[in-house]
Structure formats: C-alpha cells, structure tokens
C-alpha cells in the first residue's frame, strides 16, 4: 500500500465510499432564509446613510486610478476631474438599477447549482492566506498540494457551497503563473461553484478563458459560472488592477464582489454610521462602474470590514461595531436591491484557541442576522487572514451547517403529533422511547460532531483531546475518504493544454508584468 | 510583604486603586435595548404555542409534589386530582396578569440599582458549579475562598450586574450551613445585586432573614432586593423543595425565576416548537402559582435549556435549535408581558479551548437577539456547568460588555461631524490624525483586552500566550486590585450574629434535614 498526502495508508474505493457515507458529505442546499433579519435602522436612517453616501460621491468624488475607467466614466456622463470622478446621484441610481437582484450560480455539476440573491445565502471558504496551519498544526507556507487539500475539504464539507480559489497561496509555483494552477485546482477537485482570480486584468482574462473551456463561451454569456473579488482602497480609491479585472469579468457577464476594504478608524471615520456611509459610497461607485462596462451584468455589493485597535493599529474581529455595521450594510444593499457579500468566521488569534472560537462564532451569528447572500471567508480564517487552519476549516464548516439550520427557521410539520406525545408521556415521564422521538431524533436537534459533550471521565478515557486535535483528525479522515468528481476527459485535456500554453507564454520569473 | 490568596505580594491601597483605574471596573448600566429583537414566530404561531400550552395545562395537568401547593391550588379554584393540578386557561391568564412587567432590582449600593424588565437586560454570572478551573488551570473542588474570589471578580467586571450566589459550591463548609456563608459572601464582597439560595424552603427563609438585615424588612415589602431560582422537573413536575423556596421568596415579595429544566429530546418531544409549548406550560404553571402565593408579587419566566445528543445522551450547547428556542421563548414571555430569564455563554467543553469559545459566543449572540431580561450564567460556565473557569469568567464578562455595546445600538450623535471628516481626508488619505478620530477613538470601537490582535511576531516575542493564560493573568491582576465595598459595620455584625446563631441551630452533619 502506498502512503498518501495525509500520511495514512491508501484504502480502496469501497472503503473510501463507506467512509464518506459515515462522514456525510452531501452538500446542503443554498440557505433559504426562514427567520427575520436584524435591521437596526429605520427608513429615515437608511435615507440618511444614502444621502451622505451620495453627497460623498457628488462632492468628494472617487479616484479611479485607471485610464480606461476614466475614459469610460466621461462617456457615461460623469464629472471627471483628473483621476477623481464625481458621480451625480441620479447617474448612480440609474446605473445600479440594471444589476440583477438574483441569478443562478452555476457549478460544473448542475446538481450543485445555487439560487443566489434575495433571501438565499451561500457559504464560501476563506481565501488568500499566505500561511496555513497544517494537519500537524505547523504554521508554514502552503504548496499546491495544500491548496488541493483545501479544495477537497471544500468539496466534502456539506455547508461549503464553493471551492473558492486561492484558499492558501501555493508558494511552490511561480506567482506569474499561479492563477492558472489555482483555477485548475478549484475546477478539478470539486464540482461545486468556485471563484476566479483577479490578481491582474490578464489573469482575470485567463480565468474567463478557462471558464469558457469548462462551461462553453456561449453559456457564459447568459449564465453566471464564476465570481471574482475586487477590493477597493479605502477611502474612495479603485486601482488599475482591480478595475481591469472587473472589466474582464463584467464583459463576460460574470459578477465581481465590489469590496471596499475597510479598517474602521484608520481608513474611515472613527464612528459606526459614518463608516457605513463611506463604505456604501465606495461600493456604489464600483457597482455603478460594472454597469458602465456592461449594462445588466451581474454584480455583488461587497466589503471587507474590520475595526482597528486604536492602541496598536491592529485589525480586530468579532467586535460589536463590526456586527452592527454588517446589519446596516445589509440594509443598504437591500435598499438598492443588489445582492451582497460579507465576511464570516474571522479571527485574529494566532492559534485555534478560545479567542478564535469567540471571534468566529460572534461574526457568524451577526452575519446570519444581517442576511448576507455571499458569505465569504466561511472556513479556516485565523490570524487576521494570515493563515488558514486545517482544523478550523473543518470546525467552521460545521458551524456554518448549524447556522444554516438556525436561519432556515422553525419546522412545524410534526407539531400536533409531538404535542400528542406530551399527553402520552405525561408528568414525570421521559421521551427517549416514544415513537415520535425514535422517528424524529436524527433531524430534530443538530448534533455537532466537532464538539465533545461527553463527561470529563469519558473525555479523559479517550485521551483528553481538545477540539484542535479532534478537527485535525477529522480533516485527515475526510481527505482519506476523498474521491475526485471527475471532469469530462476532453475538457480536462483542453484545460491542461491551455495552462501549458499560457505557462510557455508567461515567464515564470516575471511576476509583476501584467502584459501577458 | 505578605503573600495573598492569589499568590502575589500585597500592594498598598494606592497601588490597588491605580490598578483598578487601569483595569476599568465601573459597572455598565443595565442594558437598554437599541436594536430589534429576532422574532421567528408570527402572531398565528404564537397563538398556536399558547393554545398547545393551555391544552397541556388543562388536559394533561402539572404535578405539584407538595401538599401546601395542592391545598393552595384547591383554594384558588384549580381542578386537583391527586398530585396533578389541571389548570383552566382562564385561571392561568387571570393569575399571571398581576405579575409586574418591570421593577427596580435593588443593590445595597443604590448606585448599582438596576431597572429590570421590558427592554432592559442584566448580566448575571453562572452559579452552581461543583468544580472550578482555578488560577493555575487546575480543576478541583472549590472552597469558600474560591467563591469569594468569584464574587470579587463579579464586583469588578463592568458587564456583570450581580454577584449571584453559589457561583461555585464551597466544599469546605457543611452543606447544611452553606447557604448562610454563600449569601454572606455575595453581600460582603460586592455591592451589586445578588441572588438568594433556594436549596430548601428553610434555607430560602434564612436568605430572606439576611436580606431583611441588609435592606430592612419593611423595604423588602415594596422593593425587590434579591432573586432566587426554582427549577422544574420536566416534563410537568414541580417538587416540594422548589415550591417551598418559591413560597419563601414570594411571601416576602421577592421574585423567583420559574425555570423548567429542559433537556430537549429527553424530557421534551424531539422537536423545537413542541418543546417550547411544553416548557411554556411548565413556566406558566409556576408563574401562576407565585400569584396564588401572593398576588402582585414579582416573578420571572425562566428556563434552563439544552438539547440532548441522541448519540450519547449528553446535553449540548450552542446548537441551532437552542438559539431558535430562545428566540421563541422570548416571544412567549413578551406575549404574557412577564420578564424572562435565559442562560448565556454555555459550553460543554472540558477545557477553555475553541469549542468553549464557539459555544459561548453562539449562545450569547442568540440570547442578545432574543431579548432576555435576566441573562444568567453569563460568565464562567463550561463542561455543561460542571466547572466554572476563572479564565473563562473574565473573558465571558468582556464578551458581555461587547454584546452590551452591540445591543445598545447605533450612535448617531457625531454623524455630520464625521461625514465632514470624509471631505477633509479625501480619497487615498487616512483618518488616524484627524481631529474627529482623536476625539472619538476611545469610544468609537470596542477594543477587547482579552483578544490578542497583534502580529504573530509580536505575539511570539511576548511569549506565545493563548487566551486561557492571558485571562488567568487578568483574573490575578483584578483580584490583586480588589478593594472591598465595605458594609455598614452594625449591619455586618448583625449578619455575622445571625449566621452564628443559625449555625448553632443547624447541625453541620445534618445536610438533608430541612426542618431547621
């Protein structure tokens, strides 16, 4: 027997299938919201944020550091002064109203297609970590094999609706060619939805080419098959890299997350509502630009949101103001009738300790109450995004499954039957043997597998294992049970040919030249 | 210099005061809710729960294992058959309508009095742990000194509104006399509100006597000075101990938490809405009985709520159904216009690991969205209540402070001023030096002291300390800085005389005899 990447002996296909059945890897449907949203602003307060944002767009303006965008804006009728674009509120409202409120997000396996927008939500793993904490809890630079393992876990964890893209940065591959291998890894190891790289305009175009191979160019003209992220430079700047990538996506009718990158107090005012007003102005300016690029193209209201410690300058997670701002931004996105993205299970802890747990769960709960559609960074994020933890990835995904259950709302189907059981059992009895219990216990109450709820005696007898170790062990079990959802062989070969050609064209050493 | 209980050298009063100032021990006001509640049921569904609960009370009935209560119920007009009391919905509604929706909860320091009920909420530490994890992370049986330390921490932690009562069980004192020492410790080490023991009817009467010494018997006739907890035995049983304690409190016009003790799926049906219907029936039966005891006495809708793993039988925490049930129970309590208590920051973890963090934060966030008035078990709870952790106590209290900030809502006071700062700073600038930032940064964004948000390099340079160790260190600092809020000396002597007399009357060995 050979030893595989996760250090245990390979077992046969049958054994892997059996393990998968025990592990339950069936993807959950997109969440359809069944509990109310938390909306801390009334109509008057929403109008106040909207008015402040529009004032900023008209009077302060937004810098677009990109000649094509500036030319586009002039044609669209904006007041362009140097790099600063002043956007009239009428123009902004006119442009954003063609953004679709909802669409279907397609996967290569149509069974994994997702309804998106309005009261639907999807969970997407974290991306962009320069380090990982691996299956032995070692913090190190990741490789393409590590990235593949995260894509495999994303494929197998029920609450994950996407394999995302560069969950971790594969340092063993040249940066100039990396986007090709990352995209291929997302496509190959999972048949769920995925994300496309936006690290340069040309990289984004390569992603569009690869998507065309996988889905067909014509299909992409009318169907969403990939999402990309474009970060703004708060306050009020969009740069050439992001704008070029945005054009590559929007021209192909694929949505980007228009994401101001907010460090509250550092690049926004030190106050909750004004921070939301500035962020909202930034998001609107990019959303409006997507419609200049291609009227009717899908686009997503995004943001990355942290508050900054005024003692150390460090970004914080799980703080009350982040929760409030999430709730408020959700209200603004719904006010404009645009789908929106937020960030989930963020943590600033250096290890998978209780801090990481508090931060992640606080963020998750606030996000669930806020009603985000695209719930990004839903697994693995720790150390302010500097590392992705294998253990946390597995635990976060289970937390998302629990949140999915909670936000789906109350099941009333068996109400009368269960109330009849109260009469059967009567005062002082117990329900464990009652037919209603036996029939319903599997689905009645979520039983988190990553939580240990046994007595301390039993826990000690089992080796006193804390959650970090339990989750690493679960990740190993999952990876051992992984089976690749094969692509069509011709498509696979075409993708590999494309990558080979592009790798010949792009010098490995020429990381920063965007002209290829 | 002498060495004190927490293992460091004693410092002078001035040094302690300086430390307290750095540590910020000013109690937060009672939370006044500023964000909307999460209400997953519509009026029709509330009516459905209400009707099912009333059907249970009328047709199944509730067992009161207590001759006095049964006699009381007969006088009140209930249909009593053996130990089973069948309660007509008209009678229940008539009785509960005299329960005050709100009151002031008095502390011996009037500055710490709390508005209670409606949109106000208070945080109360956990109670009842047979073990603690101490300042060296050793799990052991607690002593009176340990209990005193928890009372001191409760006194100093801003978000804690109460010193509660037996946070941990003081095993170095005879069980039959323990309630006296516990109550005295709560009264002595903190001048915030506290709780009274309900471990027997006579113990509850002793607590009433001690409260009369501290507050005056006449004052108690018209003012709430203490709360007690009475657990029900689900399904549908109240026992003699709890009912006798309930009488002791209600006769003195002091409120008890009428708390069904629910292990969802074991002592309720395996379904969310029917569990709420049964719990609601149980709570209503006790709430109604408080009004039989004394019409108009304050009383609190309570519950302890867990779901049970159908694999192991173990109670779970932080699960989606507990969150949903909290939201639903809140709606029922508001439907009856009675204040309600829930449980907070619960965990089933054996150590203060990430599991404890996830469980606690999930519970806290759900509780905040549910709108509970009396948020019990708000600090220290772990291992399903089997131990109270010194470290977790400190971290949970900070989490409550953050939740307090979140639920207080959005501050709009500086909106126009901060929006003006957006113009001043402009695209691409930063806010760190702006006058608005300098003026507002302290209050703008919560900076959790127990979270480490520094870079990994700085964290490593400081010894790679995880949150458990940081929090133990913080607890030591707090205890070193503690200064007792002195009671009136005559009152103190009267309390000590009372305890001495009762300890002579109650044989130390006679733990279970309730006749003293």
């Amino acid at each position: 027997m050979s030893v595989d990447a996760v250090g245990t002996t390979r077992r046969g296909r049958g054994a892997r299938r059996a393990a998968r059945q025990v592990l339950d890897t069936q993807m959950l449907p997109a969440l359809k919201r069944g509990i109310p949203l938390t909306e801390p602003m009334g109509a008057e307060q929403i109008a106040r944020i909207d008015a402040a944002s529009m004032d900023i767009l008209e009077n302060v303006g937004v810098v677009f550091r990109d000649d094509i965008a500036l030319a586009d804006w002039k044609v669209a009728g904006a007041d362009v002064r140097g790099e600063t674009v002043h956007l009239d509120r009428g123009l902004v409202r006119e442009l954003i109203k063609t953004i679709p409120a909802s669409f279907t997000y397609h996967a290569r396996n149509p069974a994994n297609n997702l309804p998106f927008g309005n009261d639907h939500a999807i969970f997407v793993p974290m991306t962009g970590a320069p380090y990982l904490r691996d299956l032995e809890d070692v913090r190190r630079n990741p490789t393409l094999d590590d990235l593949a393992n995260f894509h495999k876990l994303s494929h197998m964890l029920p609450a994950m609706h996407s394999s995302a893209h560069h969950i971790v940065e594969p340092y063993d591959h040249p940066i100039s060619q990396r986007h090709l291998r990352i995209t291929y890894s997302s496509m190959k190891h999972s048949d769920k939805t995925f994300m496309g790289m936006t690290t340069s305009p040309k990289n984004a175009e390569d992603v569009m080419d690869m998507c065309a191979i996988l889905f067909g160019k014509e299909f992409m003209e009318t169907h969403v098959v990939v999402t990309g992220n474009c970060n703004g430079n708060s306050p009020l700047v969009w740069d050439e890299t992001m704008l070029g990538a945005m054009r590559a996506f929007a021209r192909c009718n694929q949505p980007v997350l228009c994401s101001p990158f907010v460090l509250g107090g550092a690049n926004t005012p030190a106050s909750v509502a004004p921070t939301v007003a500035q962020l909202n102005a930034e998001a609107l300016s990019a959303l409006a630009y997507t419609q200049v690029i291609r009227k009717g193209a899908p686009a997503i209201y995004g943001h990355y949101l942290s508050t900054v410690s005024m003692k150390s300058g460090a970004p914080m997670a799980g703080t009350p103001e982040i929760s409030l701002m999430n709730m408020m931004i959700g209200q603004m996105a719904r006010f404009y009738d645009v789908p929106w993205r937020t960030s989930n299970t963020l943590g600033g802890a250096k290890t998978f300790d209780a801090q990481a747990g508090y931060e992640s769960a606080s963020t998750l709960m606030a996000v669930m109450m806020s009603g985000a559609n695209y719930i990004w960074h839903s697994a693995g994020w720790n150390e302010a995004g500097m590392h992705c933890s294998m253990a946390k990835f597995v635990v976060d995904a289970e937390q998302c499954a629990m949140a999915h259950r909670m936000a789906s709302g109350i099941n009333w189907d068996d109400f009368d039957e269960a109330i009849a059981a109260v009469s059967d059992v009567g005062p002082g009895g117990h329900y464990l043997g009652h037919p209603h219990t036996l029939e319903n216990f599997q689905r009645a109450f979520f039983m988190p597998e990553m939580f240990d709820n046994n007595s301390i005696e039993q826990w000690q007898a089992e080796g006193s294992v804390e959650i970090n170790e339990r989750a690493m062990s679960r990740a190993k079990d999952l990876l051992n049970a992984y089976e690749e959802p094969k692509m069509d062989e011709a498509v696979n070969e075409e993708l590999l040919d494309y990558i080979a050609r592009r790798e010949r064209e792009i010098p490995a050493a020429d990381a920063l030249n965007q002209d290829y």
Side-chain angles (χ1 to χ4, degrees), chain A:
Chain A
M1 282 191 293
S2 66
V3 175
D4 72 8
V6 295
T8 54
T9 52
R10 274 198 196 284
R11 291 170 293 178
R13 190 184 169 113
R16 286 201 300 276
R17 186 179 300 121
R20 274 200 312 283
Q21 280 160 1
V22 171
L23 290 166
D24 185 13
T25 58
Q26 180 70 41
M27 189 179 87
L28 295 172
L31 169 63
K32 187 168 192 313
R33 193 168 186 85
I35 62 172
L37 298 159
T38 303
E39 305 203 308
M41 296 191 290
E44 197 182 319
Q45 293 168 319
I46 291 173
R48 194 168 181 193
I49 297 283
D50 173 63
S53 301
M54 294 299 183
D55 286 346
I56 291 169
L57 291 173
E58 287 180 356
N59 304 325
V60 183
V62 178
V63 165
F64 284 75
R65 288 198 182 126
D66 177 69
D67 290 339
I68 301 172
L70 292 169
D72 287 344
W73 273 123
K74 279 179 196 162
V75 173
D79 172 12
V80 180
R81 307 176 204 165
E83 288 188 316
T84 306
V85 179
H86 294 259
L87 293 168
D88 177 83
R89 64 191 70 204
L91 178 62
V92 172
R93 290 199 210 286
E94 183 62 27
L95 284 169
I96 63 170
K97 79 180 183 193
T98 49
I99 297 171
S102 64
F103 52 79
T104 299
Y105 188 177
H106 292 264
R108 72 171 162 92
N109 177 355
N112 293 335
N113 290 352
L114 300 164
F116 184 81
N118 297 328
D119 56 356
H120 282 105
I122 65 171
F123 294 106
V124 180
M126 82 161 286
T127 61
Y131 294 88
L132 87 159
R133 276 198 183 269
D134 67 15
L135 291 167
E136 311 305 326
D137 207 16
V138 176
R139 183 182 181 279
R140 59 175 172 79
N141 280 137
T143 63
L144 266 173
D145 281 346
D146 294 316
L147 177 61
N149 280 340
F150 280 113
H151 286 152
K152 291 173 185 176
L153 289 177
S154 304
H155 180 61
M156 299 182 84
L157 291 162
M160 290 300 107
H161 291 115
S162 166
S163 58
H165 44 356
H166 58 144
I167 295 175
V168 290
E169 277 294 329
Y171 276 81
D172 56 343
H173 206 73
I175 195 167
S176 60
Q177 302 172 346
R178 211 178 271 170
H179 63 289
L180 301 163
R181 296 290 172 163
I182 292 166
T183 305
Y184 180 68
S185 181
S186 298
M187 290 174 164
K188 173 187 168 74
H189 295 109
S190 172
D191 60 6
K192 297 181 179 178
T193 64
F194 59 88
M195 295 182 75
M197 300 296 288
T198 52
T199 37
S200 79
K202 195 72 199 76
N203 290 356
E205 284 168 19
D206 286 352
V207 169
M208 291 299 111
D209 288 345
M210 291 177 74
C211 287
I213 294 169
L214 187 60
F215 290 97
K217 191 156 179 56
E218 214 168 312
F219 186 83
M220 286 172 69
E221 272 297 302
T222 46
H223 298 83
V224 171
V225 303
V226 66
T227 50
N229 183 62
C230 294
N231 282 329
N233 302 331
S234 300
L236 300 165
V237 178
W238 294 95
D239 70 22
E240 196 172 11
T241 301
M242 293 286 99
L243 292 166
M246 193 182 289
R247 280 192 294 272
F249 273 66
R251 283 173 184 159
C252 291
N253 214 34
Q254 302 303 311
V256 290
L257 323 175
C258 301
S259 306
F261 192 92
V262 163
L263 302 166
N267 62 17
T268 69
S271 188
V272 164
T275 292
V276 172
Q278 180 191 308
L279 182 158
N280 187 53
E282 293 165 346
L284 287 174
S285 67
L287 287 165
Y289 184 54
T290 64
Q291 302 306 297
V292 172
I293 302 167
R294 178 169 170 158
K295 196 173 176 70
I300 300 170
Y301 187 128
H303 63 86
Y304 172 81
L305 181 55
S306 180
T307 55
V308 164
S309 167
M310 292 291 164
K311 288 176 185 162
S312 66
M316 304 185 288
T319 62
E321 293 82 12
I322 296 175
S323 298
L324 283 172
M325 287 192 272
N326 264 310
M327 295 168 191
M328 296 165 79
I329 294 164
Q331 289 191 268
M332 296 316 298
R334 289 188 292 277
F335 177 71
Y336 302 116
D337 203 18
V338 176
W340 75 288
R341 161 249 159 156
T342 189
S343 306
N344 195 11
T345 56
L346 302 183
K350 263 51 74 183
T351 62
F352 193 26
D353 69 351
Q355 174 180 340
Y358 282 100
E359 291 173 318
S360 301
S362 297
T363 310
L364 171 57
M365 291 292 279
V367 161
M368 296 318 292
M369 303 320 298
S370 304
N373 304 110
Y374 196 100
I375 309 180
W376 197 12
H377 301 321
S378 279
W381 181 289
N382 209 357
E383 200 196 326
M386 289 296 288
H387 80 251
C388 182
S389 154
M390 277 270 178
K392 188 169 184 290
F393 199 89
V394 169
V395 175
D396 284 342
E398 186 172 70
Q399 294 290 311
C400 291
M402 288 203 274
H404 189 289
R405 177 80 73 97
M406 180 190 77
S408 297
I410 308 157
N411 168 34
W412 292 87
D413 294 348
D414 64 341
F415 187 76
D416 293 332
E417 188 191 341
I419 291 295
V422 179
S423 298
D424 295 345
V425 169
H430 73 79
Y431 290 78
L432 294 172
H434 191 278
H436 176 269
T437 309
L438 297 174
E439 197 180 316
N440 291 279
F441 78 87
Q442 285 281 8
R443 60 175 185 154
F445 299 124
F446 197 105
M447 289 177 269
E449 307 225 1
M450 291 297 93
F451 285 175
D452 183 297
N453 287 300
N454 292 327
S455 68
I456 194 157
E457 292 76 15
Q458 188 169 346
W459 178 76
Q460 286 166 338
E462 290 170 2
S464 302
V465 182
E466 292 187 329
I467 193 169
N468 190 30
E469 287 74 29
R470 290 199 301 276
M472 286 191 285
S473 169
R474 170 57 62 105
K476 289 176 195 169
D477 290 347
L478 282 164
L479 291 172
N480 279 326
Y482 172 77
E483 192 160 10
E484 190 182 314
K486 294 286 186 197
M487 267 192 271
D488 177 88
E489 196 40 52
V491 170
N492 187 41
E493 277 175 29
E494 199 178 340
L495 283 169
L496 290 173
D497 287 349
Y498 179 85
I499 292 169
R501 175 169 69 80
R502 292 293 294 139
E503 289 191 344
R504 284 192 303 273
E505 291 168 0
I506 308 171
D510 199 358
L512 298 175
N513 190 329
Q514 304 293 355
D515 293 335
Y516 296 94

